[in-house]
């Protein structure tokens, strides 16, 4: 039976599919803020107030991608529909036996850029306290999609193991910063090299996350620096970016090495195609390149999260500076999300929604 109570909420709608970078204002704006009436609750559903939005570069592909919708790994966002993201929300009203008012719940990717949302109780994950008083926001990052992508990409897609030399791009981002620590602290890699977009971020990746080296991809000597940092070449490259960084890495992965592809953020807003002049390295060196989605490994997620949470509790994995939390009103959400594409975050970028 549906609830008879109706609620209105502010909500960002996909108004235009961008060719290159999303447009934040003007007649061609990618998103439009509307006040909408939510549908009445049905049995099994929740009405919830959003507390946090997860900001992820991959959301760019939800609104416009070179991949046909029927081949995309999750449902895309149609024009005129609410923009989606991961969220943490507080249950206000429940018609699900699994949840009650006051519970905090998470949805990895079916939440919406909205002040109030209707969620399916069956797929909403109830949050439980973390050890040592760690913030629950880590369920959207280190103990959520970011941490799971880092672990599954290294271990299952990349086949990384103790004694390997591993390179990780976007090493100061949400997934990359976890991948660095997993490689160093949990897998026992021989050498871990991060790639990031500033000297300050590289210092954090080395000094706080434990990478043996970190290279600034914006440096005019990037290619030379990469070669110097990988004298024995590379067993596994964890790629978050594509573009010229991937092109350079094709020359550093050893024969029969592996590239695990998690993302291609360098091309998300380019509006053009990616050029790889070193592509023949794949053939010459018999390199394996494997794309992956962390959703493929959800059967392994409970054990992985138990390991990651345990490692954070005992101090092997450091999370203290691994979040950038921005307090903002719903009106500011598109601009905050776009900061990901200009390096405006260290670790996970979250929006704490305020009224």
């Amino acid at each position: 039976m549906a609830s008879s109570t109706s609620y209105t909420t502010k909500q960002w709608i996909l108004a235009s599919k961008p060719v290159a970078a999303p447009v934040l204002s003007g007649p061609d704006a990618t998103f439009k803020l509307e006040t909408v009436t939510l549908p009445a609750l049905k049995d099994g559903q929740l009405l919830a107030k959003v507390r946090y939005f997860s900001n992820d570069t991959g959301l760019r592909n939800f609104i416009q991608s070179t991949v046909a919708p029927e081949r995309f790994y999750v449902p895309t966002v149609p024009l005129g529909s609410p923009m989606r993201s991961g969220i943490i929300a507080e249950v206000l009203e429940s018609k699900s036996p699994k949840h009650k008012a006051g519970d905090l719940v998470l949805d990895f990717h079916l939440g919406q850029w909205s002040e109030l949302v209707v969620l399916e109780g069956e797929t909403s994950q109830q949050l439980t306290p973390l050890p040592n008083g760690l913030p629950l926001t880590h369920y959207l990052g280190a103990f959520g999609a970011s941490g799971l992508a880092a672990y599954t990409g290294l271990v299952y897609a990349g086949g990384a193991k103790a004694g390997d030399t591993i390179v990780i791009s976007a090493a100061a981002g949400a997934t990359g910063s976890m991948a660095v620590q997993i490689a160093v602290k949990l897998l026992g890699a021989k050498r871990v090299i991060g790639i990031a977009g500033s000297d300050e971020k590289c210092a954090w990746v080395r000094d706080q996350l434990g990478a043996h080296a970190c290279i600034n991809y914006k440096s005019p000597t990037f290619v030379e620096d990469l070669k110097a940092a990988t004298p024995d070449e590379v067993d596994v490259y964890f790629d978050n970016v594509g573009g010229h960084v991937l092109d350079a890495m094709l020359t550093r992965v050893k024969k029969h090495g592996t590239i695990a592809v998690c993302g291609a953020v360098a091309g998300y807003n380019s509006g053009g195609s990616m050029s790889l002049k070193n592509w023949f390295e794949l053939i010459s060196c018999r390199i394996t390149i494997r794309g992956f989605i962390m959703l493929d490994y959800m059967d392994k997620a409970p054990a992985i999260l138990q390991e990651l949470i345990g490692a954070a509790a005992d101090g092997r994995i450091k999370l203290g500076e691994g979040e950038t939390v921005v307090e903002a009103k719903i009106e500011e959400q598109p601009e905050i999300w776009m900061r990901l594409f200009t390096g405006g975050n260290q670790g996970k970028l979250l929006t704490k929604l305020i009224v």
Side-chain angles (χ1 to χ4, degrees), residues 304-320:
I304 293 170
L305 293 177
Q306 184 177 14
E307 184 175 1
L308 294 179
I309 292 170
D314 66 24
R316 283 175 294 160
I317 286 181
K318 298 179 180 179
L319 303 178

Side-chain angles (χ1 to χ4, degrees), residues 78-140:
L79 282 173
S81 297
M83 181 58 183
R84 294 209 322 271
S85 74
I87 61 169
I88 289 175
E90 179 184 350
V91 177
L92 300 179
E93 183 180 333
S94 174
K95 294 184 71 65
S96 164
K98 298 181 65 174
H99 306 283
K100 64 183 185 302
D103 287 348
L104 287 177
V105 295
L106 172 145
D107 194 292
F108 274 137
H109 66 90
L110 293 175
Q112 299 171 347
W113 282 2
S114 183
E115 292 180 314
L116 299 177
V117 290
V118 173
L119 301 173
E120 296 298 328
E122 192 62 35
T123 56
S124 297
Q125 176 186 339
Q126 188 157 323
L127 301 186
T128 56
L130 289 167
N132 302 340
L134 287 169
L136 293 179
T137 47
H138 288 305
Y139 280 116
L140 285 174

Side-chain angles (χ1 to χ4, degrees), residues 112-292:
Q112 299 171 347
W113 282 2
S114 183
E115 292 180 314
L116 299 177
V117 290
V118 173
L119 301 173
E120 296 298 328
E122 192 62 35
T123 56
S124 297
Q125 176 186 339
Q126 188 157 323
L127 301 186
T128 56
L130 289 167
N132 302 340
L134 287 169
L136 293 179
T137 47
H138 288 305
Y139 280 116
L140 285 174
F143 308 139
S146 304
L148 288 171
Y151 192 103
T152 57
L154 285 171
V155 174
Y156 299 112
K161 59 188 182 303
D164 279 352
T165 295
I166 300 171
V167 175
I168 297 157
S169 58
T175 300
S177 60
M178 284 298 290
V180 168
Q181 297 191 82
I182 290 166
V184 174
K185 309 291 178 52
L186 303 188
L187 300 183
K190 175 185 175 183
R191 184 166 171 80
V192 176
I193 300 98
I195 299 174
S198 71
D199 292 343
E200 293 76 16
K201 287 184 176 181
C202 276
W204 180 63
V205 170
R206 286 192 310 268
D207 301 341
Q208 299 300 317
L209 304 184
H212 301 93
C214 187
I215 305 160
N216 183 349
Y217 71 84
K218 295 179 181 177
S219 168
T221 58
F222 167 65
V223 174
E224 293 82 358
D225 296 342
L226 179 63
K227 186 174 182 179
T230 55
D232 299 324
E233 298 188 314
V234 176
D235 296 286
V236 178
Y237 170 46
F238 190 107
D239 184 28
N240 284 305
V241 299
H244 83 281
V245 174
L246 171 60
D247 203 30
M249 280 303 306
L250 288 170
T251 71
R252 302 311 302 153
V253 176
K254 64 177 56 173
K255 287 181 180 178
H256 306 290
T258 301
I259 299 173
V261 182
C262 183
V265 67
Y268 288 168
N269 292 325
S270 69
S273 59
M274 181 167 63
S275 174
L276 296 172
K277 66 178 184 292
N278 295 316
W279 188 245
F280 198 80
E281 293 273 356
L282 284 175
I283 301 163
S284 184
C285 294
R286 286 81 96 194
I287 295 168
T288 297
I289 186 165
R290 180 177 291 115
F292 74 96

Side-chain angles (χ1 to χ4, degrees), residues 66-90:
T66 57
V67 180
E70 65 272 15
R71 289 173 57 85
F72 204 72
Y73 62 96
V74 292
T76 56
V77 179
L79 282 173
S81 297
M83 181 58 183
R84 294 209 322 271
S85 74
I87 61 169
I88 289 175
E90 179 184 350

